[in-house]
């Protein structure tokens, strides 16, 4: 009964030399470098990885806000990069994105009501009165009051602004929501309200989420499965509990060791290291993680590991372990 | 260890068209040499204004420090003239600002911005200053410091700009560093590196740190003492161990319960606990305790009279009628 909603096949996105890197460092940034991934209808897929590993780029590709260097993405069996006209418009209705920064992503000169209702207008849905009613209904669902529809973004708190973004994302009843760091800018009490809201909405509308975050405790709270990204690739993919209890890739172990625990008695031994430029060592016939891998073996420098199932849907791209 | 900073009865208000905003309201706080004081609290509760008051950087008008003293090594910063304050700012006391983009100069290269400070306060020559700048940038985990010094702020990612700010704050070996959300835009591995660096500095040169953050995990990891703020006031103050083991104020308890924990039960139907309601507007605070509308323990007296910040257990102060004997 688990149906594949999004099927990502070998997707790549390389950026040309960026002005500031022109000097010598490299020719291109392999922001996303051969990702294959299936997202099931109704699930929440968490996507984690360090800054610059390609999470937002992957999100933009899925949203079709960017075109890939190679590879394909199918949504309900259709190649999204081949859609045009009415079909593309339809796709844009079915997938929505929530951005990280509730301050930057709202138009300061539009009222909350008009921001939330705009997608209805663009898609010519309902008449004027119907749009007002629908807008009011959605505002109520996300916990905003009708009186707030005439207010401007600066009159809202951070959490309320994020609710406006969520209301706008769900008003067209999408099937898929890509949430790119939706709570990172919020304090814990507001964060908790938003995470609860996202879970309730999922239940009510059978939504599918791709949930991007660098906060592993947040991802753990919301996800059914989790994909770990490193240098533009998926290096581990598993069910939530399985990933946290039995991480297999040394990079996942490193990420987990860096989470600050809200418990002063448990100051952790952390794995810290230098940063490299993303993707520079991909495709050179060795594991891109090997320069800093604490458990590397000889084969790691001779062969690039592939993402394979170690059993029960726990995928890992690593020669080590068993 | 001696006391480095002592804040007494500090109030900072903003005069706006809608009325007076009491952003910092009668705050008493102190910090010892080499100590890290974490400051937590909901968005808008006055954390940044508190730090800016210590730095004497409150925009005036509309803002004004209306009462109090800020003793730094025994000298009241609020009594200094602006030339004396400039000598301290950036050298003895430095600040990592919450919004790196607005506090970096957009038309100056990163290297020039850092060396400017080093030249001003440490009197180093251009070459030595640049070497020090590179050293600081690699300390904060910048991928290639040689490229970074030639970049303008807009050519860097948010996380990189934040690290530049931290490097600038640390370059003169300050006695006190005010760090306002220094790791919010950073992923966990860089965050860990920055916290490690701050910890090392504390150890090596005895820098004291005021660490403002909404991340209680960061507080647990890096702070020795914690002040919890709500509507401009300190509502709880304790050692980090005591605060996490026995949070007293209902707001602190609510905050602790809102955190998703790595060892909490997990599942579709697991919801996080939330603090009901929202923070009251700072220009229209209720009489009595300002947390009353969100508090499950509210009593008659909470609506009538304001509680005081009092010591309930040794070195553990709370601002709540539940604990008044
Ligand atoms: N328009 C662009 N031109 C050139 N390079 C880009 C562009 N957008 C992204 N990149 C590069 O691609 C890589 C991946 O960036 P991306 O924004 O996807 O990372 P991310 O995983 O979302 O990181 P963060 O956690 O910081 O948001 C980075 O090295 C980035 O510098
Ligand atoms: N320049 C200003 N003019 C008027 N009011 C101001 C000004 N600066 C700050 N305030 C008000 O002072 C209060 C405290 O703001 P402050 O920036 O200290 O909050 P904060 O605790 O740092 O919040 P956050 O977690 O969102 O950074 C807020 O209500 C804010 O609106
Ligand atoms: S393949 Fe080898 S180097 Fe790469 S992560 Fe696994 S053990 Fe480490
Ligand atoms: S003083 Fe009263 S209302 Fe305020 S936090 Fe304490 S019990 Fe709650
Ligand atoms: Mg991103
Ligand atoms: Mg602030």
């Amino acid at each position: 009964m688990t149906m594949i909603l999004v099927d990502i096949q070998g997707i790549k996105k390389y950026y040309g030399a960026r002005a500031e890197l022109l000097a010598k460092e490299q020719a291109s940034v392999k922001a996303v470098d051969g990702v294959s991934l299936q997202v099931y209808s109704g699930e929440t897929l968490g996507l984690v990885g360090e800054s610059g590993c390609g999470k937002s780029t992957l999100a933009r590709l899925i949203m079709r806000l960017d075109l890939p260097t190679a590879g394909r993405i199918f949504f309900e069996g259709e190649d999204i990069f081949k859609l045009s006209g009415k079909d593309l418009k339809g796709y844009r209705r079915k997938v929505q994105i929530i951005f990280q920064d509730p301050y930057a992503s709202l138009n300061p000169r539009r009222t909350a009501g008009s921001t939330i209702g705009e997608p209805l207008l663009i898609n010519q849905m309902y008449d004027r009165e119907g749009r007002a009613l629908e807008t009011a209904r959605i505002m109520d669902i996300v916990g905003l009051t009708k009186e707030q529809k005439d207010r401007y973004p600066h009159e809202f708190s951070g959490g309320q602004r994020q609710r406006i973004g969520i209301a706008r994302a769900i008003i067209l009843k999408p099937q898929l929501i890509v949430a790119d760091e939706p709570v990172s800018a919020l304090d814990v009490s507001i964060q908790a309200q938003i995470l609860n809201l996202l879970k309730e909405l999922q239940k009510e509308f059978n939504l599918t989420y791709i949930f991007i975050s660098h906060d592993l405790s947040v991802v753990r709270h919301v996800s059914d499965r989790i994909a770990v990204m490193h240098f533009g690739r998926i290096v581990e993919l598993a069910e939530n509990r399985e990933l946290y209890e039995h991480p297999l890739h040394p990079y996942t172990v490193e990420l987990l060791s860096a989470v600050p625990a809200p418990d002063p008695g448990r100051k952790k031994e952390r794995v810290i290291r230098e940063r490299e430029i993303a993707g520079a060592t991909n495709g050179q016939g060795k594991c891109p993680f090997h320069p800093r891998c604490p458990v590397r073996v000889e084969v790691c420098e001779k062969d690039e590991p592939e993402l394979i199932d170690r059993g029960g849907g726990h995928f890992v791209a690593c020669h080590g372990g068993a | 260890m001696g006391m480095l900073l002592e804040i007494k009865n500090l109030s900072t208000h903003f005069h706006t068209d809608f009325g007076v905003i009491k952003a910092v309201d009668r705050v008493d706080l102190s910090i010892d040499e080499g100590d890290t004081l974490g400051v937590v609290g909901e968005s808008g509760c006055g954390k940044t204004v508190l730090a800016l008051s210590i730095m004497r950087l409150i925009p005036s008008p509309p803002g004004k420090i209306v009462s109090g003293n800020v003793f730094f090594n025994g000298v009241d910063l609020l009594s200094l003239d602006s030339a004396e304050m400039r000598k301290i700012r950036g050298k003895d006391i430095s600040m990592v600002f919450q919004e790196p983009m607005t506090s970096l100069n957009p038309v100056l290269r990163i290297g020039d911005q850092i060396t400017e400070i080093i030249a001003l306060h440490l009197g180093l020559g251009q070459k030595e200053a640049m070497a020090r700048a590179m050293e600081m940038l690699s300390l904060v985990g910048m991928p290639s410091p040689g490229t970074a010094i030639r970049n303008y702020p807009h050519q860097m990612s948010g996380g990189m700009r934040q690290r530049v700010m931290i490097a600038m704050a640390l370059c003169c070996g300050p006695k006190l560093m005010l760090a306002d959300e220094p790791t919010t835009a950073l992923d966990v591995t860089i965050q860990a590196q920055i916290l490690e660096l701050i910890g090392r500095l504390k150890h090596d040169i005895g820098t004291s740190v005021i660490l403002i953050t909404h991340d209680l995990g960061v507080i647990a990891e890096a702070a020795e003492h914690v002040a919890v703020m709500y509507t401009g006031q300190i509502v709880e103050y304790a050692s980090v161990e005591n605060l996490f083991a026995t949070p007293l104020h209902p707001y602190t308890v609510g905050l602790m319960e809102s955190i998703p924990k790595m060892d909490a039960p997990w599942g579709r139907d697991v919801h996080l606990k939330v603090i009901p309601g929202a923070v009251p507007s700072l220009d229209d605070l209720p009489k009595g305790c300002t947390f009353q509308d969100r508090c499950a323990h509210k009593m008659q007296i909470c609506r009538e009279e304001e509680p005081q910040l009092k010591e309930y257990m040794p070195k553990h102060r709370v601002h709540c009628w539940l604990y008044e004997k």
Side-chain angles (χ1 to χ4, degrees):
Chain A
M1 71 145 262
T2 39
M3 207 185 71
I4 295 177
L5 185 67
V6 189
D7 191 356
I8 302 170
Q9 296 189 355
I11 204 89
K12 294 183 179 176
K13 178 73 191 181
Y14 294 175
Y15 289 106
R18 295 173 74 182
E20 70 261 35
L21 296 173
L22 260 178
K24 52 195 177 289
E25 257 97 336
Q26 92 259 48
S28 70
V29 176
K30 295 175 178 174
V32 173
D33 193 20
V35 167
S36 296
L37 190 62
Q38 285 76 43
V39 186
Y40 298 108
S41 186
E43 81 166 333
T44 298
L45 179 78
L47 187 60
V48 297
E50 71 200 12
S51 175
C53 74
K55 306 179 296 292
S56 297
T57 304
L58 184 59
R60 292 173 56 80
L61 290 167
I62 295 167
M63 295 302 297
R64 236 203 94 155
L65 295 171
D66 223 335
L67 294 175
T69 307
R72 295 192 290 183
I73 296 177
F74 296 90
F75 184 87
E76 295 185 309
E78 293 220 57
D79 185 340
I80 64 164
F81 298 111
K82 293 211 173 113
L83 298 176
S84 63
K86 204 164 106 275
D87 293 337
L88 179 57
K89 217 170 165 191
Y91 181 66
R92 296 220 183 281
R93 246 198 329 263
K94 287 185 242 171
V95 300
Q96 295 289 328
I97 189 160
I98 302 171
F99 291 103
Q100 164 166 8
D101 189 348
Y103 299 82
S105 55
L106 295 177
N107 182 339
R109 275 178 288 278
R110 261 179 185 277
T111 62
S114 116
T115 293
I116 295 168
E118 191 186 22
L120 296 177
L121 193 65
I122 294 172
N123 286 284
Q124 295 163 355
M125 292 161 78
Y126 308 102
D127 57 9
R128 205 188 157 84
E129 199 183 336
R131 284 196 294 271
L133 278 174
E134 186 60 12
T135 305
R137 193 177 76 88
I138 297 293
M139 286 182 71
D140 183 50
I141 290 175
V142 301
L144 294 167
T145 65
K146 333 192 251 305
E147 295 75 42
Q148 290 173 324
K149 78 176 190 320
D150 297 322
R151 299 218 193 147
Y152 290 90
H154 73 268
E155 296 173 84
F156 290 95
S157 74
Q160 289 171 326
R161 279 184 242 217
Q162 197 55 297
R163 284 168 195 263
I164 298 174
I166 292 170
R168 185 184 157 95
I170 62 166
I171 198 162
L172 294 173
K173 304 193 181 64
Q175 287 165 268
L176 173 70
I177 290 186
V178 179
D180 191 358
E181 305 268 10
V183 294
S184 307
L186 307 175
D187 56 71
V188 282
S189 57
I190 301 171
Q191 170 181 298
Q193 293 175 0
I194 296 293
L195 293 177
N196 286 348
L197 173 65
L198 288 174
K199 277 197 172 182
E200 281 156 25
L201 292 173
Q202 178 165 49
K203 211 167 174 180
E204 189 165 337
F205 299 111
N206 188 36
L207 289 170
T208 305
Y209 290 129
I210 295 178
F211 192 100
I212 300 174
S213 177
H214 63 248
D215 185 332
L216 286 123
S217 47
V218 168
V219 168
R220 179 182 175 277
H221 178 71
V222 299
S223 308
D224 299 305
R225 286 191 307 151
I226 293 163
V228 181
M229 225 173 147
H230 177 255
F231 285 0
R233 296 178 176 180
I234 306 292
V235 296
E236 186 157 5
L237 171 68
E239 297 273 333
N240 180 317
R241 185 184 298 260
E242 171 70 13
L243 187 95
Y244 283 89
E245 286 175 7
H246 306 112
L248 293 176
H249 199 285
Y251 177 63
T252 310
V253 174
E254 179 184 304
L255 279 181
L256 289 172
S257 86
V259 181
D263 173 0
R266 276 207 337 231
K267 302 206 188 214
K268 287 194 181 178
E269 269 304 302
R270 280 190 250 90
V271 190
I272 310 283
R273 49 164 185 84
E274 289 298 304
R275 286 298 172 110
E276 310 84 15
I277 303 250
T281 53
N282 286 4
Q284 295 181 355
K286 42 191 160 196
C287 173
F289 191 67
H290 92 273
R292 62 169 201 254
C293 181
V295 295
R296 66 172 172 249
V297 285
E298 212 173 300
V299 62
C300 305
E301 285 181 65
K302 294 182 187 141
D303 188 26
E304 212 156 337
E306 288 188 21
L307 191 65
I308 45 173
D309 195 344
R310 290 281 181 84
H314 190 152
F315 291 82
V316 63
C318 173
H319 296 302
Chain B
M1 254 184 271
M3 193 184 286
L4 181 69
L5 188 81
E6 188 179 19
I7 300 171
K8 281 190 166 164
N9 195 37
L10 181 70
S11 294
T12 303
H13 296 176
F14 288 94
H15 293 265
T16 70
D17 296 347
F18 312 103
V20 177
I21 293 174
K22 296 180 179 173
V24 172
D25 190 13
R26 290 161 292 161
V27 164
D28 288 313
L29 262 184
S30 65
I31 175 166
D32 287 344
E33 275 168 34
D35 198 41
T36 296
L37 172 71
V39 179
V40 292
E42 207 138 323
S43 183
C45 72
K47 304 181 295 290
T48 297
V49 172
L50 174 64
L52 292 176
S53 302
I54 298 168
M55 291 291 278
R56 292 257 314 265
L57 289 175
I58 294 295
S60 168
K64 191 169 193 296
I65 296 175
V66 296
S67 77
N69 311 92
V70 179
F71 294 104
F72 178 70
N73 272 333
V75 177
D76 187 358
L77 296 178
L78 303 186
S79 71
L80 298 182
D81 64 33
S82 41
E84 291 169 319
M85 194 61 211
R86 254 197 309 278
K87 271 189 224 144
I88 292 180
R89 208 187 283 134
K91 181 167 190 299
D92 295 322
I93 307 181
S94 63
M95 178 154 175
V96 177
F97 294 91
Q98 192 169 6
E99 288 154 23
M101 202 52 190
T102 53
S103 38
L104 287 170
N105 186 336
V107 299
L108 273 188
R109 290 178 198 273
I110 295 303
D112 295 335
Q113 303 201 37
I114 306 179
T115 51
E116 190 178 29
I117 302 176
I118 298 173
L120 176 71
H121 290 301
L122 301 184
L124 294 183
Q126 176 61 21
K127 227 173 145 187
E128 290 160 294
M130 198 51 97
R132 173 122 183 112
M134 299 264 285
E135 185 194 328
M136 293 315 300
L137 287 173
S138 57
L139 269 179
V140 295
M142 191 66 76
S144 62
T147 313
I149 52 164
R150 277 180 273 123
N151 281 350
Y152 292 96
H154 71 90
Q155 292 172 308
M156 305 190 129
S157 80
M160 286 167 136
R161 288 198 287 263
Q162 204 158 27
R163 278 175 271 167
V164 169
M165 291 296 304
I166 294 166
M168 284 168 75
L170 295 180
C171 65
C172 296
K175 295 202 180 73
L176 175 67
M177 180 165 92
L178 309 173
D180 195 357
E181 302 280 3
T183 61
T184 313
L186 306 176
D187 62 72
V188 285
T189 48
I190 290 280
Q191 173 174 299
Q193 196 168 338
I194 298 287
L195 295 180
E196 200 87 359
L197 175 69
I198 292 176
R200 193 160 5 116
L201 224 85
K202 213 162 69 174
H203 184 263
D204 293 353
I205 57 176
T207 300
S208 307
V209 182
I210 296 184
L211 179 66
I212 299 173
T213 175
H214 66 247
D215 188 333
L216 289 160
V218 169
I219 292 283
E221 187 95 16
E224 271 100 37
H225 293 92
V226 192
V228 181
M229 277 185 90
Y230 193 76
T231 60
Q233 297 172 321
I234 307 292
V235 295
E236 186 159 1
Y237 171 88
S239 71
V240 70
E241 290 81 12
N242 282 353
L243 192 91
F244 281 83
T246 46
L248 297 176
H249 197 281
Y251 174 65
T252 316
V253 173
L255 276 185
M256 300 278 178
E257 288 175 346
S258 319
I259 318 172
K261 294 179 194 65
M262 290 297 270
D263 50 5
W266 168 85
R268 272 288 162 104
D269 295 316
V270 175
H271 278 56
L272 294 166
K273 275 203 169 180
V274 298
I275 305 172
V279 190
S281 170
L282 288 186
D283 54 13
D284 187 23
L285 293 174
K287 194 172 157 219
C289 170
T290 57
F291 189 65
Q292 58 184 274
D293 292 338
R294 309 176 75 184
C295 183
H297 306 284
K298 178 176 60 185
M299 302 165 286
Q300 183 64 30
I301 190 169
C302 307
R303 257 172 294 187
E304 289 160 0
E305 253 180 88
E306 196 184 352
Q308 301 295 314
L309 186 66
K310 285 199 180 145
E311 191 136 292
Y312 178 69
M313 304 190 307
K315 286 223 89 180
H316 195 152
R317 281 175 266 165
V318 61
H319 180 268
C320 170
W321 284 117
L322 288 176
Y323 305 96
E324 297 252 355
K325 293 164 228 162

